[in-house]
Amino acid sequence: MRIVIAPDKFKGSLSAPEVCSHLEKGLQRVAGGNLEIVRIPVADGGEGTLDAAVGSGFTRRTATVSGPTGQPVEADFAVRDHEAVIEMATASGLALVPGVLKGGRPTPAEATAASSLGTGQLIRAALDAGCRRIVLGVGGSANTDGGAGLLQGLGARFLDSRNNELPPGGAALANLHSIDFTHFEPRLVDTRFVLASDVDNPLLGAQGAAAVFGPQKGATQQDVGLLDAALARFVEVLAREIGFRAVKAAEAPGAGAAGGVGYAAIAVLAATRRPGIDVVLEFTELKQRLAGADLVITGEGSLDEQSLLGKTPMGVARAASEQGIPVIAVCGRTTLEPGHTAPAGFEDVYALTELETDVNRCISEAGQLLEQLGTQISGRLAAGWPARTPSTKEDLRV
């Protein structure tokens, strides 16, 4: 039997490759090592995207860049041929903010001063590696700077009325007077960008980057107003430099992603925004690697109603259903009613909480519990489950 394991991470517990490894151990325990297992770690474009790329044949590279509050960090990216996959969180992620690193929450000062500079520096490192197609996976960012830091990392200069460079962070954009693109990275002209994001918020306003995501990054309500006004100033000045497309880009779905990095990517880098799961399934070549599989196992930490709106498990289930391959899901916990699983495309759902009711232990002992689930699944397979293999997309009702 050929089984494809294609899960997302179990956030706060296991990476997607670790989920694959533990499941395989449990599956092979009953089968005596006779199962053919294909591991394909996947993600939805945010955290975990880098692991998915490396698991699909990309080579991991490392660059020293500026973290969200200016501290140097070692950030990874992935390269294959002339394509790079950059996971923004590795350079500019909220988890890298000192307040969070100490086990607390980001402070208002960190929220207003955090920069996406390191992400721009990672893009430059990818260009140095010969890449001319770059997938920018955004999510988990610390900044609300509209992507100004990203552009600075690529050579742009953000100047005040006295021609002094602005300090980093979104709040400083309130004093923006001009942007100097004289030394902007020339190789970008021949580079195509894909913005992998499920966020469809605009840059400004009640549904914008500052209002919706700022408080998660430590911004107070007063900070939110200041940041939104500063981002509006950024749009105004950028429009003087590159024309009306700067204004139009601010209203584009996804402009508010990653504290406005989506805006800079769309307006200046001419990035094409695509759903993160679609981008990841494409570069992992999931559809091609499903050929001949008897079963697909997918999942994520929490399988709930949000998962049904296009998260990783649904993308995997949809791809498998097109080839008539049954799918089961594994997760830390699930809030889906039994009647929702079949219409979602899952033959069955296995949750760690079925084995251990203590959620904290589910998190700390996730690997061991996943191996137990793998053993359960393998035992059912040995008994002849599932009884039939769906032959059409309609059979799974995805």
Side-chain angles (χ1 to χ4, degrees):
M1 176 172 274
R2 185 171 191 264
I3 300 175
V4 173
I5 307 176
D8 202 342
K9 64 187 176 299
F10 279 32
K11 191 170 183 178
S13 184
L14 297 172
S15 67
E18 288 171 335
V19 173
C20 290
S21 177
H22 286 293
L23 271 175
E24 180 172 3
K25 286 180 182 177
L27 288 165
Q28 296 285 25
R29 193 170 292 154
V30 172
N34 293 320
L35 295 173
E36 180 187 351
I37 304 291
V38 179
R39 303 184 194 180
I40 309 178
V42 288
D44 61 6
E47 295 170 83
T49 299
L50 182 64
D51 283 335
V54 173
S56 299
F58 283 71
T59 301
R60 190 183 294 269
R61 302 282 187 91
T62 302
T64 302
V65 301
S66 177
T69 55
Q71 75 283 17
V73 299
E74 296 293 309
D76 291 349
F77 62 105
V79 173
R80 183 173 65 188
D81 299 326
H82 299 293
E83 180 177 16
V85 174
I86 290 175
E87 184 180 310
M88 182 182 171
T90 66
S92 310
L94 188 60
L96 299 173
V97 170
V100 178
L101 285 171
K102 293 176 182 177
R105 288 180 50 79
T107 65
E110 289 170 335
T112 55
S115 169
S116 57
L117 174 63
T119 301
Q121 293 171 334
L122 267 190
I123 291 174
R124 184 165 268 177
L127 295 174
D128 291 342
C131 299
R132 293 300 179 267
R133 183 179 188 271
I134 297 176
V135 172
L136 184 59
V138 298
S141 65
N143 57 280
T144 309
D145 68 349
L150 179 150
L151 299 179
Q152 288 173 310
L154 293 170
R157 298 174 69 232
F158 285 68
L159 308 171
D160 64 17
S161 59
R162 297 184 177 182
N163 230 31
N164 296 315
E165 289 206 44
L166 294 180
L173 294 172
N175 298 317
L176 181 63
H177 179 73
S178 63
I179 306 173
D180 181 5
F181 284 103
T182 303
H183 300 292
F184 200 53
E185 177 56 66
R187 292 173 292 184
L188 293 170
V189 174
D190 301 316
T191 305
R192 292 182 297 130
F193 285 87
V194 175
L195 178 68
S197 172
D198 294 327
V199 171
D200 59 4
N201 301 67
L203 178 66
L204 305 173
Q207 297 301 312
V212 175
F213 305 111
Q216 302 171 12
K217 304 173 184 184
T220 65
Q221 284 305 307
Q222 183 178 7
D223 293 333
V224 166
L226 293 173
L227 286 167
D228 192 63
L231 292 174
R233 176 63 179 171
F234 178 24
V235 174
E236 178 186 343
V237 174
L238 185 61
R240 293 205 303 260
E241 302 291 344
I242 68 172
F244 182 72
R245 77 173 187 270
V247 177
K248 187 176 180 182
E251 301 168 355
V261 162
Y263 171 66
I266 294 168
V268 181
L269 304 181
T272 300
R273 173 181 166 264
R274 294 182 58 200
I277 184 61
D278 290 353
V279 175
V280 173
L281 295 190
E282 183 178 282
F283 71 63
T284 58
E285 300 179 337
L286 178 76
K287 290 184 179 180
Q288 298 91 315
R289 295 167 73 186
L290 288 177
D294 299 291
L295 177 70
V296 173
I297 304 176
T298 187
E300 60 184 351
S302 179
L303 192 66
D304 50 31
E305 286 71 16
Q306 270 202 324
S307 304
L308 305 183
L309 300 177
K311 293 288 187 177
T312 300
M314 288 300 296
V316 173
R318 193 170 294 114
S321 74
E322 292 173 356
Q323 300 186 39
I325 307 169
V327 181
I328 60 176
V330 295
C331 58
R333 68 178 186 94
T334 181
T335 59
L336 295 182
E337 297 294 331
H340 292 165
T341 56
F346 305 122
E347 292 278 338
D348 209 344
V349 174
Y350 290 78
L352 300 187
T353 51
E354 295 172 0
L355 301 175
E356 173 55 67
T357 57
D358 185 335
V359 174
N360 289 327
R361 289 190 65 184
C362 281
I363 294 172
S364 63
E365 300 175 16
Q368 176 185 337
L369 292 170
L370 269 174
E371 290 179 28
Q372 291 182 42
L373 286 186
T375 300
Q376 285 187 14
I377 294 167
S378 191
R380 291 189 68 188
L381 294 175
W385 177 89
R388 67 177 183 88
T389 300
S391 59
T392 67
K393 187 173 183 178
E394 288 70 25
D395 284 332
L396 286 178
R397 294 191 289 166
V398 174

